[in-house]
Amino acid sequence: MNALKNGKKKKIVVAVTGASGAIYAHLLLEELQNLQHLLNEVAVIFSDNASEIWEHENGKPFESVLPFRIYQKNDFNAPFASGSCSFDTLIICPCSMGILGRIAAGISDDLITRSADVMLKERRRLILVPRETPLNLIHIENMRTVTLAGGIICPAIPSFYSKPQHFNDALKTVVFRVLSLAGFENDHYRWSE
């Protein structure tokens, strides 16, 4: 990862929800730390259940050793709770079906859903990384609604054509795809290139 698609440094919000898949958020935050030279700021929000799931799946509690500011989920004074902010991307990773449903319905009852609403109304980048299976029709319709409103649904489905040798290598295929969608040029494996 060594460039931005438009050359402008980015301001990104990463929201972590209580869906299974905290390892994706962990790897995403590590990669964003590696991209500090391309970033103006990274902000992080955890939903109520996210910290518990993080600890269960990653084997230890989230400790902010990363140079990112953590916002409380009810902090509506956060800059990205307003359309006047200069944050350009919100990545919700992993994205629970509850958060997805509230975004699709326009319910801004916490900082995560309010930030998503801001990104959609301001025509900025909203990337949702759901990790749920199987999907019911309500999930699919909510994904459709968010997509029609301008959001990007990027399911946490690893690719295998790069022949990953390790568990994290497979998971990083999703993380690299999310970063590409967020506007970063990267040198990860691409089909037939």
Side-chain angles (χ1 to χ4, degrees):
M1 311 253 172
N2 51 18
L4 291 168
K5 290 180 181 176
N6 66 6
K8 182 182 172 190
K9 285 190 172 187
K10 305 190 79 48
K11 292 180 83 170
I12 295 178
V13 181
V14 175
V16 183
T17 74
S20 179
I23 184 75
Y24 287 107
H26 186 134
L27 293 171
L28 175 62
L29 291 170
E30 284 181 350
E31 289 300 324
L32 287 171
Q33 184 178 17
N34 294 334
L35 296 172
Q36 280 295 306
H37 62 289
L38 301 175
L39 297 162
N40 277 329
E41 188 174 351
V42 175
V44 180
I45 315 165
F46 277 80
S47 73
D48 284 336
N49 296 330
S51 296
E52 183 179 329
I53 299 298
W54 180 288
E55 184 171 353
H56 177 76
E57 293 184 352
N58 288 314
K60 58 184 177 182
F62 177 79
E63 295 175 3
S64 184
V65 295
L66 302 173
F68 308 142
R69 181 166 174 190
I70 310 298
Y71 287 85
Q72 298 302 311
K73 74 172 196 86
N74 293 320
D75 183 0
F76 286 92
N77 289 316
F80 40 87
S82 169
S84 65
C85 76
S86 58
F87 281 80
D88 49 75
T89 304
L90 169 60
I91 302 168
I92 304 178
C93 177
C95 181
S96 70
M97 291 299 111
I99 291 285
L100 172 67
R102 289 194 293 283
I103 294 168
I107 299 170
S108 298
D109 61 350
D110 66 11
L111 185 57
I112 296 173
T113 53
R114 173 58 188 164
S115 301
D117 189 40
V118 166
M119 293 297 154
L120 292 174
K121 80 182 187 71
E122 298 295 329
R123 307 302 190 263
R124 297 181 189 156
R125 216 168 267 159
L126 171 64
I127 303 167
L128 307 182
V129 186
R131 210 257 11 107
E132 182 75 51
T133 190
L135 299 172
N136 68 38
L137 184 57
I138 295 168
H139 301 152
I140 294 166
E141 288 297 334
N142 286 339
M143 289 181 195
R144 178 181 182 274
T145 298
V146 169
T147 300
L148 290 173
I152 299 169
I153 306 296
C154 182
I157 301 171
S159 63
F160 297 97
Y161 43 76
S162 62
K163 299 180 183 174
Q165 299 299 306
H166 304 285
F167 180 70
N168 280 2
D169 294 338
L171 299 180
K172 282 185 178 182
T173 65
V174 173
V175 170
F176 291 144
R177 186 69 177 118
V178 168
L179 290 170
S180 180
L181 291 168
F184 294 95
E185 295 285 351
N186 54 56
D187 55 6
H188 71 86
Y189 184 89
R190 293 178 188 275
W191 181 253
S192 296
E193 288 186 11

